[in-house]
Amino acid sequence: MDYKAAFRTAVEQVRAEGRYRVFADLKRHRGDFPRATWTRDDGSAKDIVVWCSNDYLGQGQNPVVLDAMHAAIDANGSGSGGTRNISGTTHHHVELEAELADLHGKNAALLFTSGYVANEAALSVLYKILPGLIIFSDELNHASMIAGIRNGGGQRKIFRHNDLEHLESLLAAAPVDAPKLIAFESVYSMDGDIADLAGTVALAKTYGAMTYLDEVHAVGLYGPRGAGVAERDGVMAEIDIIEGTLGKAFGVMGGYIAADAEIVDAIRSYASGFIFTTSLPPALTAGAVASVRYLKAHDEVRVIHQERAETLKKMFRDAGLPVMPSVSHIVPVLVGDPVHCKMVSDMLLEDHGVYVQPINYPTVPRGTERLRFTPTPFHTDEMMRDLVGAMEKLWAHCNIARLGGVAA
């Protein structure tokens, strides 16, 4: 067999569908977020504005976070020394888990190397801990949640996105004595919609189910202390397991779960994704501690962030650009074609110094390809006006449908 040809064919198929991904070579500017320098393939450089970072609050540039990371390097060195079970547990890990447990009003938390690993490891191992478990999963859950549920090998039921009537029908049809868990997200990051947390919790209580909530795109961003939508909606104490990330609003890297100590201890003892992975280095955990503490005390950053997102949505709407409905900080603009989506993204970068990645299948369904903007507290009105002006020119140039479905 020609092995290389098989790999080549697989990539060519992705290219033919217009969804081949190209990574931009960027250098962020410390203290000047969201500006960066883009290095082209020919080695030339161009100054740009980043519009698609998940560093939603610019915490990756916060001097408080950076100082904590520098201090940890000076005090501890670079690596962690191994897995948590061998020699990789440092005081910074212990301190961070305490901060995260406090953030979510739980008595324990557990760190993982990423949000993906946290979901995959925790969800898959629940089938071992709870024999006969049925997991009820929202159809638009993140790939990491889907992977964890599938890898667990147990029974699963998929309910229509944010459809509590459908969820209830599945719960009602399940055996009364079977252990059950509802797995869902708070903020869905591609459409920007938010789940009905109170309604989901009520169903869980009625049918004797546990709840597993992914707050990855909400931690740091919602609630008086940044614990997420569950805190904002007053149901945090009623969620059994909360999963979050340190790599988005907190501006560092890593994932975690927060829950009752007995739940956390069981997952810690059984989850391969935790047991056999080298732990996060001290610099990252120290930076995360500083970031979590800072955002607990600075709600004004969240207020500004929400205002910036609403301002950009309004500017897009006023310009007749097809911004998709969103009740969160996510600002998606519909293109509807992978080739056009990539073309607009490339032209924004090359001609206008605007960096936003095309979002194509399989991240979103075919026909809903989009540009996903994530304004931060540091995106100014001037930056937004420049962005909208560039988008208007390209929408006309590429003859893409505007609001109301009329092509320019």
Side-chain angles (χ1 to χ4, degrees):
M1 179 179 179
D2 188 341
Y3 292 106
K4 285 189 177 181
F7 288 102
R8 192 180 311 116
T9 299
V11 173
E12 287 172 354
Q13 181 178 341
V14 175
R15 288 185 184 275
E17 295 175 5
R19 56 186 184 91
Y20 182 76
R21 300 177 188 229
V22 177
F23 302 143
D25 182 348
L26 303 180
K27 291 181 181 178
R28 302 207 300 174
H29 301 167
R30 177 180 174 177
D32 198 22
F33 183 77
R35 299 188 185 278
T37 298
W38 167 49
T39 302
R40 299 181 178 91
D41 290 340
D42 64 5
S44 61
K46 181 181 180 68
D47 289 336
I48 64 166
V49 176
V50 178
W51 277 100
C52 55
S53 174
N54 283 341
D55 185 0
Y56 292 127
L57 301 178
Q59 283 290 98
Q61 302 290 313
N62 188 334
V64 172
V65 177
L66 301 183
D67 288 348
M69 297 181 74
H70 283 296
I73 291 174
D74 291 340
N76 300 277
S78 58
S80 67
T83 67
R84 292 286 296 279
N85 289 339
I86 297 177
S87 62
T89 295
T90 71
H91 179 66
H92 295 296
H93 292 92
V94 176
E95 193 174 28
L96 178 54
E97 286 173 341
E99 285 290 338
L100 293 168
D102 171 77
L103 176 67
H104 293 289
K106 306 298 183 186
N107 55 18
L110 186 66
L111 285 173
F112 293 85
T113 51
S114 72
Y116 188 105
V117 173
N119 272 334
E120 196 283 329
L123 284 167
S124 63
V125 81
L126 290 176
Y127 285 109
K128 294 180 182 178
I129 298 169
L130 301 168
L133 174 67
I134 305 171
I135 294 183
F136 299 81
S137 175
D138 189 290
E139 67 177 341
L140 292 189
N141 276 342
H142 190 264
S144 58
M145 300 177 76
I146 295 170
I149 293 167
R150 286 178 175 169
N151 293 345
Q155 190 175 171
R156 62 185 186 270
K157 302 289 183 182
I158 312 301
F159 61 93
R160 291 187 292 271
H161 178 53
N162 281 348
D163 188 336
L164 295 189
E165 289 187 7
H166 187 217
L167 171 59
E168 182 167 19
S169 70
L170 295 175
L171 287 165
V176 175
D177 59 348
K180 306 173 186 69
L181 180 137
I182 303 170
F184 64 116
E185 299 182 42
S186 55
V187 177
Y188 287 84
S189 64
M190 290 300 117
D191 291 337
D193 55 336
I194 296 179
D196 180 353
L197 271 61
T200 306
V201 166
L203 284 180
K205 289 182 177 179
T206 299
Y207 292 94
M210 295 181 66
T211 46
Y212 183 105
L213 177 63
D214 179 315
E215 289 258 43
V216 159
H217 290 275
V219 290
L221 303 173
Y222 296 86
R225 296 202 309 159
V229 175
E231 182 189 32
R232 184 198 71 176
D233 292 357
V235 297
M236 191 163 63
E238 300 170 272
I239 302 291
D240 294 294
I241 303 173
I242 295 174
E243 185 267 347
T245 184
L246 305 169
K248 293 182 171 59
F250 293 124
V252 193
M253 178 186 173
Y256 65 89
I257 60 167
D260 179 82
E262 290 185 346
I263 294 174
V264 169
D265 200 26
I267 292 173
R268 179 186 70 85
S269 301
Y270 281 84
S272 294
F274 172 82
I275 295 170
F276 298 105
T277 301
T278 299
S279 64
L280 293 169
L284 289 178
T285 47
V289 168
S291 186
V292 172
R293 286 176 178 168
Y294 182 89
L295 289 178
K296 282 179 180 178
H298 288 82
D299 189 48
E300 74 279 1
V301 179
R302 286 179 281 278
V303 173
I304 297 169
H305 181 234
Q306 291 293 321
E307 180 275 323
R308 292 286 76 194
E310 291 306 314
T311 297
L312 183 60
K313 292 175 194 176
K314 183 178 186 303
M315 291 175 71
F316 278 149
R317 286 193 297 266
D318 290 347
L321 294 164
V323 60
M324 301 169 71
S326 167
V327 295
S328 70
H329 58 283
I330 306 297
V331 185
V333 176
L334 180 67
V335 179
D337 176 86
V339 175
H340 276 156
C341 201
K342 179 68 166 61
M343 181 190 307
V344 171
S345 173
D346 288 346
M347 294 173 75
L348 281 170
L349 183 61
E350 182 64 52
D351 300 335
H352 301 279
V354 168
Y355 176 57
V356 58
Q357 275 283 14
I359 306 295
N360 293 333
Y361 176 85
T363 305
V364 296
R366 298 181 194 274
T368 70
E369 292 82 4
R370 68 200 64 178
L371 300 174
R372 175 184 174 273
F373 296 90
T374 54
T376 73
F378 302 97
H379 284 90
T380 65
D381 285 350
E382 182 181 2
M383 290 175 180
M384 291 186 182
R385 286 191 291 269
D386 290 344
L387 168 63
V388 172
M391 293 277 283
E392 287 185 294
K393 291 178 183 177
L394 291 181
W395 245 247
H397 177 79
C398 298
N399 197 36
I400 302 172
R402 290 176 177 260
L403 289 177
V406 179

